[in-house]
């Protein structure tokens, strides 16, 4: 049986795909099912609204949106669903993502968007945050998330140990 797609990854343009690949990678590593689509708050407004309005009944639990410039995608999606919506601001010229950050994060009270780090780190963090939301009701996923954190901690500690060895060898 096909895996239930629990996370919807929506990008405002196909040009956002290289960034969104980071989210695919994390979700693949955790074995979480997802769907990915190109939809725009401005270029395909009806399609974006319809997707958000029907996402919950289709079994999605979190919607992640990546968009640049006047990044209204996450906000528009959030306006049409009670699912948690996470927004990744994408950097573009000439404001290097500050425009997308403000458009994504500055939602009016009542319609929240969980805005993550801009750019590539944001794609990874959005996937991890979506996993953390699913892990509230999925013990297997919670265990994987703890394992991920422990491994990450060990990597940083190993990097520090390596640095200390290098510094010591300088005398
Ligand atoms: C946004 O505008 C997209 O999310 C993309 O980040 C940006 C530029 O879009 P393209 O001109 O590359 O299609 O809607």
């Amino acid at each position: 049986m096909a895996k239930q797609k629990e996370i919807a990854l929506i990008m405002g343009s196909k040009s956002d795909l290289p960034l969104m690949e980071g989210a695919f990678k994390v979700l693949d590593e955790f074995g979480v099912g997802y769907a990915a689509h190109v939809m725009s708050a401005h270029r395909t407004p009806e399609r974006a609204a319809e997707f958000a309005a029907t996402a919950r009944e289709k079994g999605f639990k979190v919607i992640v949106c990546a968009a640049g410039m006047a990044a209204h995608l996450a906000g528009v999606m959030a306006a049409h669903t009670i699912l948690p919506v996470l927004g990744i601001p994408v950097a573009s010229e000439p404001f290097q993502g500050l425009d997308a950050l403000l458009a994504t994060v500055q939602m009016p009270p009542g319609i929240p968007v969980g805005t993550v780090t801009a750019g590539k780190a944001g794609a990874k963090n959005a996937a991890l945050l979506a996993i953390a939301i699913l892990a509230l009701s999925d013990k297997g996923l919670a265990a994987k998330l703890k394992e991920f954190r422990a491994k990450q901690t060990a990597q940083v500690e190993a990097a520090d140990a390596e640095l200390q060895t290098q510094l010591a060898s300088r005398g």
Side-chain angles (χ1 to χ4, degrees), residues 40-61:
S40 165
H42 308 115
R43 294 161 174 163
T44 64
E46 288 87 4
R47 190 159 173 257
E50 207 266 339
F51 182 90
T54 56
R56 198 161 177 261
E57 69 201 40
K58 287 178 188 148
F60 289 109
K61 293 186 176 154

Side-chain angles (χ1 to χ4, degrees), residues 2 52 111 166:
I111 305 292
Q166 283 170 0

